[in-house]
Amino acid sequence: MNYCSNCGSDQLTSTIPDGDHRLRVVCENCNTIHYQNPLIVVGCLIEHDGKILLAKRGIEPSKGFWNLPAGFMENGETAEEGALREVEEETGMSVTIDRLHSVFSVVHANQVYLIFKATSSSIEYTLTPESIEIEFFEPSEIPWNEIAFSSNTHALKAFLQNPNSSEVHLGSYIRNS
Ligand SMILES: [Zn+2]
């Protein structure tokens, strides 16, 4: 951040405000404290007849790798609405959410994934620039070495270990730097 989004000043400093315990970016001109917090990524693990949908990414990061349809939650929507919107945008499909499946924190990237288990009544889809290939995989055919993100691997493995469990699977990825 170079300029204050409240007043436009470039007089930003990093300081611990009174009553706080972390460094924050504070505007010396208007005293606005610019909190920076994790973003929420919402998506779906979609099942149809025991097969799981994966979409091959047409955009960076991890272009060419398979992932569960997911993306950043927008203001003004619920997590479930966001997950369904992302599925629609990336695959053209309307699916039914069954339950929350996993919560996965990507600590170094400041992201939290909420992955819902969903069911699709059909396998008709639409390819988009975001998804250049879509396939319903048998569990034994999942291309584990070509999965885009640790959050997806976590959700897929947890699901396949016990597909009918209603447990919410917690996980995290902390990169060793
Ligand atoms: Zn300001």
Side-chain angles (χ1 to χ4, degrees), residues 106-148:
V106 187
V107 176
H108 68 271
N110 304 317
Q111 295 172 354
V112 178
Y113 279 73
L114 302 179
I115 302 292
F116 295 90
K117 163 67 179 41
T119 306
S120 174
S121 57
S122 85
I123 55 168
E124 281 180 43
Y125 58 79
T126 312
L127 294 179
T128 65
E130 281 188 67
S131 304
I132 51 175
E133 206 175 323
I134 286 171
E135 199 170 323
F136 278 87
F137 285 91
E138 293 282 0
S140 61
E141 294 172 344
I142 288 176
W144 292 108
N145 295 327
E146 298 166 40
I147 301 295

Side-chain angles (χ1 to χ4, degrees), residues 80-101:
E80 306 91 288
E81 287 168 348
L84 293 174
R85 175 184 51 72
E86 287 293 338
V87 169
E88 213 283 325
E89 286 175 4
E90 295 188 18
T91 70
M93 301 176 76
S94 13
V95 299
T96 305
I97 286 180
D98 305 316
R99 61 178 186 270
L100 177 63
H101 178 265

Side-chain angles (χ1 to χ4, degrees), residues 4-9 12 27-32 34:
C4 174
S5 56
N6 184 53
C7 75
S9 167
L12 299 174
C27 175
E28 291 185 337
N29 184 51
C30 73
N31 297 319
T32 296
H34 295 279

Side-chain angles (χ1 to χ4, degrees), residues 18-29:
D18 287 344
D20 204 340
H21 57 281
R22 297 181 76 117
L23 282 173
R24 309 288 182 189
V25 175
V26 177
C27 175
E28 291 185 337
N29 184 51

Side-chain angles (χ1 to χ4, degrees), residues 22 36-41 72 104-113 173-175:
R22 297 181 76 117
Q36 293 176 309
N37 299 97
L39 294 174
I40 296 173
V41 181
F72 291 111
F104 192 88
S105 301
V106 187
V107 176
H108 68 271
N110 304 317
Q111 295 172 354
V112 178
Y113 279 73
Y173 178 61
I174 301 170
R175 186 173 60 194

